Amino acid sequence: MNTRTPLIAGNWKMYKTNSEAVQTAGRLVELVADTADVDIMIAPVFTALDPVSKVVGGSRVGLGAQNLYWEKEGAYTGEISADMLVSAGCRYVIIGHSERRQYFGETDDTVNKKIRAALDAGLIPVLCIGETEDEREAGQTFSVLDKQVKSGLKEYVADDLAALVIAYEPVWAIGTGKSATTDQAQEAHNYIRSLIKDSFGPAFADAVRILYGGSVKPANISQLMDMPDIDGALVGGASLDADSFSRIVKFK
Ligand code: PGA
């Protein structure tokens, strides 16, 4: 048995106005008040962070952002720094989500800089990696993961990364209703852990949490969590509803 505390994280993407976000967060706080031995995070849009932080403050639910910019401050119109996220109540930040890689030019290089900024500010970075359908069909899954992990974490040492969380999200499983099978997910997670072991040593590889993301629902979470290398989930669609997300949180 490993000693990794599961993390169930909700990525709200570009959904919910402030009043909707506050309402969902408030309901979630009530529904998960009786949980233990699981970390919980929700990541609303930037504009909802401050009001949601007032609702989740002191509760079982931690607050995360969906992105950041690596500079501390400056003439970077439209961007938000790690310290600004901390000041809005965040403890976590999602970095390198496939939608950011696909639509907003995120690369392993920008991911690498963002992780540094997050760690320097005391945020927990949730690094997202995963292959596309074409890459999987071409037999490139492991080489894609290899590159994303090695380039994304280039020039770090294990001591820097103690807070790091990795999320394996096969792009073909995101928002499609087509989750990876438990065997496919376990195989990828095990491979990612072996990459981490090669680069950062066995103690860190044993401690780092690797979440699965891609069409996680109340109906499939417990099978996924039964896998030895799956330490939680990054949930999109099913995190938007407090009731369904709380059922994922209570997967046991
Ligand atoms: P999904 O999204 O749960 O809606 O598939 C997961 C994600 O993008 O993090």
Side-chain angles (χ1 to χ4, degrees):
M1 273 306 276
N2 72 65
T3 54
R4 300 183 291 270
T5 304
L7 169 61
I8 305 293
N11 172 11
W12 285 2
K13 308 192 179 184
M14 200 176 77
Y15 289 100
K16 296 186 189 292
T17 62
N18 281 11
S19 60
E20 290 164 346
V22 162
Q23 195 187 23
T24 306
R27 180 88 184 112
L28 180 66
V29 164
E30 288 169 17
L31 289 170
V32 301
D34 59 347
T35 56
D37 307 322
V38 58
D39 291 342
I40 307 165
M41 179 271 262
I42 52 173
V45 297
F46 286 134
T47 43
L49 289 173
D50 182 57
V52 169
S53 82
K54 297 188 169 83
V55 177
V56 301
S59 82
R60 298 278 304 120
V61 181
L63 190 65
Q66 299 174 19
N67 183 30
L68 53 62
Y69 189 59
W70 57 82
E71 293 290 349
K72 280 199 155 314
E73 62 180 11
Y76 304 105
T77 302
E79 295 297 324
I80 298 190
S81 76
D83 287 340
M84 291 165 192
L85 297 181
V86 172
S87 77
C90 288
R91 288 194 46 220
Y92 299 84
V93 59
I94 298 169
I95 293 179
H97 190 279
S98 65
E99 287 151 15
R100 296 219 52 89
R101 294 179 191 253
Q102 190 179 347
Y103 306 130
F104 303 104
E106 196 89 71
T107 63
D108 292 328
D109 189 44
T110 61
V111 162
N112 185 279
K113 293 183 176 136
K114 289 181 179 194
I115 288 176
R116 175 80 62 201
L119 293 168
D120 285 351
L123 289 165
I124 299 172
V126 180
L127 164 63
C128 300
I129 57 175
E131 80 288 358
T132 63
E133 186 148 43
D134 286 351
E135 288 164 342
R136 176 163 281 265
E137 278 169 9
Q140 294 166 351
T141 299
F142 285 178
S143 62
V144 169
L145 297 176
D146 199 283
K147 179 174 170 298
Q148 290 175 333
V149 168
K150 293 205 174 127
S151 310
L153 299 177
K154 190 175 64 195
E155 285 166 23
Y156 289 90
V157 296
D159 282 352
D160 298 331
L161 295 173
L164 179 76
V165 174
I166 297 173
Y168 168 63
E169 300 204 298
V171 178
W172 48 271
I174 295 178
T176 57
K178 190 168 125 191
S179 168
T181 66
T182 50
D183 288 345
Q184 283 171 325
Q186 168 57 26
E187 181 187 42
H189 282 231
N190 184 264
Y191 182 72
I192 294 162
R193 206 177 295 286
S194 73
L195 289 173
I196 296 291
K197 186 174 169 191
D198 290 347
S199 298
F200 301 106
F204 182 63
D206 196 44
V208 69
R209 291 184 289 186
I210 308 177
L211 316 183
Y212 168 79
S215 298
V216 174
K217 303 273 178 309
N220 60 13
I221 183 69
S222 42
Q223 300 97 282
L224 288 161
M225 292 302 291
D226 279 344
M227 295 290 123
D229 287 301
I230 300 184
D231 306 315
L234 182 55
V235 186
S239 74
L240 294 169
D241 177 70
D243 184 65
S244 96
F245 189 56
S246 73
R247 283 190 281 141
I248 295 174
V249 169
K250 298 178 182 183
F251 62 88
K252 275 188 208 135

